[in-house]
Amino acid sequence: MTPGSAARATRAWEVERDTWQEAERPPLLGLIDRVERPADHSHTPLARTDEDVQARFKELADQWLTETGHLSSISQRVLNPSYQQIIGLGPQVVPCLIESLREGPQHWFSALVAVVGVDHAFGARTPSEAASRWVAWFDATTSDDE
Amino acid sequence: MMSSGIDLQTLFPQLQTDDYQITSAATRGYNCHAWAAGEDDAWWSPVNRAGLPIGGYYWPRGVPHDESLPALVQAFRTCGYAPCDTGELEVGLEKIAIYTDHARLPTHTARQLANGQWTSKIGEYQDITHDTLAGLEGQDYGRVACFMSRARTDAQ
């Protein structure tokens, strides 16, 4: 698959996802609720390698930081198209998000909740505490798999 | 501490005529609203999932989890702030200025220092001091929409 066709497939899936969300979500939920339904990627017409996802994540994360790093509103930052596309990468992006958190707190908490479907840092008061909890959850989960 | 190679004058062109100073390293540990409240260990945000706060963010208990200006004003009330008319320096009062965008949604809060300058945390970047509130006004932060004040307790 060429980068161009991958991008087209990703955009097609995003349109489908947005249509689905608009059709099925109650209208009065908060902004974050609109992006927090665990994504069903079983129908995604795109087979991506982990390397593809890592490269795409880095590209999107850099763009997102450039466009929103000076903003304080998490809702505004989460609604940025690059952040939405990171969420759209689905479960394969979780290791990328966790690796980023190992380097220090970063605002991937909403993305993790959206992709994983559970807030494993619920109750954490600070970004550092939430980052530690997500990393601990990931390490425990992956060690269980081994 | 994280590094930041951003150019504040590009993000906020009106800083070019403001004698601003960078006063901290960049950090994701707190944001402008927390800094305005006098805290440097929390990121204030009403972001939520089905009404429950998302782990990693702080929002004062009992304040609606929405992005509106009234909700942010209510959040600052929990720290002793009350709305006031102007950002003019008044002895004994610590003031904050809340910026909102074209939709009247809060974008930023600056806190007045005892010398009349303002201190702002710029997103996940640095703290700065700036002489005028206009220095941060523009496309991203919008304009100052309201002022609040409380009794000053520090010697800053």
Side-chain angles (χ1 to χ4, degrees):
Chain A
M1 178 172 286
T2 65
S5 62
R8 283 192 295 277
T10 301
R11 281 195 293 274
W13 180 81
E14 288 165 355
V15 170
E16 181 181 341
R17 178 199 60 193
D18 292 342
T19 303
W20 167 73
Q21 287 180 329
E22 290 302 320
E24 298 190 6
R25 296 293 278 172
L28 298 179
L29 292 179
L31 292 175
I32 297 306
D33 283 331
R34 286 197 287 149
V35 299
E36 285 192 348
R37 170 169 288 198
D40 174 6
H41 298 274
S42 59
H43 64 293
T44 304
L46 180 62
R48 293 172 295 216
T49 66
D50 289 346
E51 290 72 21
D52 289 339
V53 172
Q54 287 172 15
R56 185 67 177 140
F57 167 73
K58 184 174 187 324
E59 180 184 353
L60 291 168
D62 288 347
Q63 185 167 349
W64 172 73
L65 183 59
T66 298
E67 293 175 354
T68 72
H70 61 296
L71 302 179
S72 180
S73 166
I74 294 301
S75 296
Q76 198 174 351
R77 298 188 69 183
V78 166
L79 289 173
N80 176 271
S82 295
Y83 199 96
Q84 290 292 290
Q85 289 181 67
I86 287 172
I87 292 173
L89 292 173
Q92 274 183 288
V93 81
V94 170
C96 303
L97 299 171
I98 296 297
E99 286 310 306
S100 177
L101 291 181
R102 286 187 203 280
E103 297 169 6
Q106 177 52 289
H107 297 287
W108 302 132
F109 312 128
S110 295
L112 283 163
V113 171
V115 174
V116 174
V118 177
D119 186 356
H120 288 288
F122 180 72
R125 188 181 184 276
T126 67
S128 293
E129 183 183 352
S132 296
R133 289 199 197 180
W134 275 107
V135 169
W137 163 78
F138 183 79
D139 288 345
T141 302
T142 51
S143 66
D144 288 346
D145 292 342
E146 291 171 355
Chain B
M1 292 292 184
M2 46 180 274
S3 63
S4 163
I6 55 116
D7 179 356
L8 290 174
Q9 292 186 20
T10 299
L11 289 169
F12 305 102
Q14 298 197 80
L15 281 180
Q16 293 171 17
T17 55
D18 190 302
D19 187 23
Y20 76 98
Q21 299 288 327
I22 294 174
T23 55
S24 79
T27 173
R28 298 185 180 112
Y30 59 97
N31 67 347
C32 63
H33 305 316
W35 184 238
E39 299 176 2
D40 63 0
D41 62 351
W43 191 287
W44 281 32
S45 173
V47 66
N48 70 96
R49 176 173 182 257
L52 296 174
I54 288 183
Y57 302 112
Y58 170 77
W59 194 240
R61 193 180 298 273
V63 178
H65 282 266
D66 68 59
E67 296 278 348
S68 70
L69 178 59
L72 185 59
V73 167
Q74 190 173 337
F76 280 120
R77 283 183 185 277
T78 68
C79 302
Y81 283 108
C84 63
D85 292 335
T86 75
E88 293 297 314
L89 181 64
E90 294 184 56
V91 175
L93 288 182
E94 183 172 46
K95 294 188 175 182
I96 58 174
I98 302 176
Y99 295 68
T100 61
D101 63 13
H102 63 281
R104 207 165 166 74
L105 296 177
T107 57
H108 179 69
T109 306
R111 172 165 49 90
Q112 193 177 43
L113 300 172
N115 64 3
Q117 284 190 303
W118 297 85
T119 178
S120 284
K121 172 71 160 61
I122 306 299
E124 62 180 68
Y125 301 135
Q126 301 99 330
D127 302 342
I128 66 169
T129 57
H130 46 113
D131 287 343
T132 68
L133 292 170
L136 293 180
E137 288 184 336
Q139 182 175 349
D140 288 335
Y141 283 5
R143 291 178 173 276
V144 173
C146 107
F147 295 100
M148 301 182 77
S149 67
R150 67 181 176 185
R152 186 176 290 282
T153 56
D154 61 12
Q156 248 181 333

